[in-house]
Amino acid sequence: MQANRNDGGWSPYLAGALVGVLAILSAYATTVWLGKTTYLGASTTFVRGAGIIEKQVAPERVEANEYFTKEKVRVDWQFMLVLGIFAGAFIASSTDKSFKLEGVPPVWRERFGPSVGKRAAAAFLGGVVAMFGARMADGCPSGHGLSGMMQLSVSAFAALAMFFGVGIVVAAMVYGRRK
Amino acid sequence: MDTAQIMGLVTGILFGFLLQKGRVLRFEKQVGAMLLKDMTILKFMLSAIMVGMVGVALLADAGVIALGHKPMNVGAIVVGGALFGAGWAVMGFCPGTSVGALGEGRWHAAFGVAGMLAGAALYAELYPLMKATVLSWADFGKIGLPETLGVSPWVVIIVFIAVALGLFRWFESRGL
């Protein structure tokens, strides 16, 4: 268990444990300052983001939509958290020189070639399906996988098992060797 | 920005920093875990959960914070979880890591982000249909594992930590 690898990365055990500490502090801080215990999550922000974009073209449609009304289209704590993830990753990667512009992931390139269009189409479709599922399940690997598990929620154990179980099968089909 | 937004931003920056330092934002790490070849994200997640579950249980026991279970809606979790798993494998990112991957220059993550925004809009459109079908099958509500099993949270936590440490040993012995 190396704390500092040669590429500037930290041990995943250490970085993960620190996320655990961050989650505890955040649950405490949101309770004290915002009056409501709030746990780490990410996928609801995509609903709000979609609502904000859709509002530009069809505001009355967003207004009338039951789901947008339920999840409240606004820039809230979690929305800023998600923007913060972007900023934090940028700061971490640009200070240890691991920032790299990459148009096609190397593993994808090995299997499907260097076409950006192919990667874009697959990633987009994967994204549509993944988010549809995450909204149905009411959470993603952050909301269920981290926050739900920390609270010992039954739904989190079941959701995480489904995420990984189906992920393993589909990954084997998509990236596994053909024939 | 109001207090909530500032707190979210600060927490997010720290979260993103740690996700990046743990090297879990990479497409190859996510797909590597699903191909059972590289367990970095599992090491990261289980470590976060182990630490977090102890702190959350202590604070909840003391009445300082409230638990907020998500509902154990069987159709939602099984069908939604399966769809998520399938999409995750193809996209190679989950919602939080996709945004982080953009932050470390992996701009192809933007295609996944666009797809996820479209997926969220689609779900909003089909929500009434989902409510009438999948979401209405069987809902056990907001339940925790300890009360469902009739044991103390600490029993679940100790077993979880023991299993996780066993997995870590196994990962390291196999070089995963």
Side-chain angles (χ1 to χ4, degrees):
Chain A
M1 190 168 140
Q2 255 175 304
N4 219 325
R5 303 217 182 126
N6 41 18
D7 73 337
W10 295 357
S11 151
Y13 298 115
L14 173 66
L18 289 172
V19 166
V21 173
L22 177 67
I24 299 166
L25 292 176
S26 171
Y28 178 73
T30 51
T31 309
V32 172
W33 283 303
L34 305 178
K36 185 176 186 292
T37 310
T38 312
Y39 292 94
L40 303 179
S43 67
T44 318
T45 294
F46 285 79
V47 177
R48 304 199 174 105
I52 289 168
I53 295 167
E54 204 174 317
K55 252 187 180 168
Q56 311 307 312
V57 272
E60 61 296 326
R61 206 174 168 81
V62 175
E63 207 68 45
N65 185 289
E66 187 187 351
Y67 194 63
F68 283 133
T69 309
K70 171 168 130 42
E71 299 294 350
K72 298 186 189 72
V73 178
R74 64 192 158 88
V75 177
D76 67 341
W77 179 88
Q78 195 201 80
F79 200 106
M80 295 308 292
L81 177 93
V82 172
L83 295 185
I85 293 174
F86 174 86
F90 177 74
I91 294 167
S93 63
S94 48
T95 48
D96 72 3
K97 299 194 178 75
S98 59
F99 181 93
K100 193 175 88 188
L101 287 175
E102 180 184 280
V104 178
V107 175
W108 177 273
R109 183 190 297 263
E110 262 173 46
R111 180 72 182 76
F112 297 102
S115 160
V116 174
K118 217 170 175 180
R119 174 61 206 148
F124 185 87
L125 286 176
V128 172
V129 174
M131 186 52 67
F132 195 91
R135 289 330 304 155
M136 189 185 280
D138 199 18
C140 60
S142 297
H144 275 308
L146 295 179
S147 302
M149 292 296 289
M150 286 175 196
Q151 300 174 66
L152 311 176
S153 307
V154 174
S155 56
F157 282 87
L160 205 57
M162 290 305 298
F163 293 168
F164 271 104
V166 176
I168 286 167
V169 173
V170 175
M173 293 189 322
V174 175
Y175 307 102
R177 235 173 256 148
R178 251 189 209 155
K179 276 187 288 185
Chain B
M1 278 198 279
D2 62 25
T3 314
Q5 289 171 331
I6 293 167
M7 284 174 65
L9 182 64
V10 172
T11 310
I13 291 173
L14 293 170
F15 190 23
F17 188 91
L18 293 170
L19 286 165
Q20 204 281 335
K21 282 294 181 190
R23 299 292 188 253
V24 293
L25 297 173
R26 311 268 164 86
F27 175 91
E28 47 271 32
K29 296 287 183 190
Q30 311 244 336
V31 170
M34 287 180 259
L35 291 173
L36 308 175
K37 284 178 180 164
D38 179 343
M39 291 300 159
T40 307
I41 67 168
L42 234 42
K43 295 174 190 175
F44 182 95
M45 283 184 80
L46 291 174
S47 300
I49 295 166
M50 277 164 55
V51 171
M53 70 193 347
V54 171
V56 168
L58 286 172
L59 289 175
D61 260 358
V64 178
I65 62 168
L67 293 182
H69 296 302
K70 290 168 185 288
M72 181 55 214
N73 183 318
V74 179
I77 297 286
V78 172
V79 180
L83 287 172
F84 180 84
W88 183 22
V90 175
M91 175 169 48
F93 294 109
C94 61
T97 51
S98 66
V99 180
L102 274 182
E104 60 169 352
R106 275 66 177 178
W107 56 268
H108 53 76
F111 305 122
V113 171
M116 287 191 284
L117 288 168
L122 182 67
Y123 188 77
E125 286 301 316
L126 297 181
Y127 183 61
L129 176 66
M130 295 302 135
K131 256 192 4 182
T133 54
V134 181
L135 302 185
S136 67
W137 294 343
D139 192 348
F140 291 94
K142 301 178 175 186
I143 49 174
L145 194 56
E147 59 265 31
T148 305
L149 298 176
V151 297
S152 150
W154 296 104
V155 173
V156 179
I157 290 172
I158 288 165
V159 171
F160 185 93
I161 291 177
V163 171
L165 291 178
L167 275 175
F168 290 168
R169 255 191 89 171
W170 187 68
F171 293 159
E172 296 306 327
S173 74
R174 302 282 298 261
L176 291 167

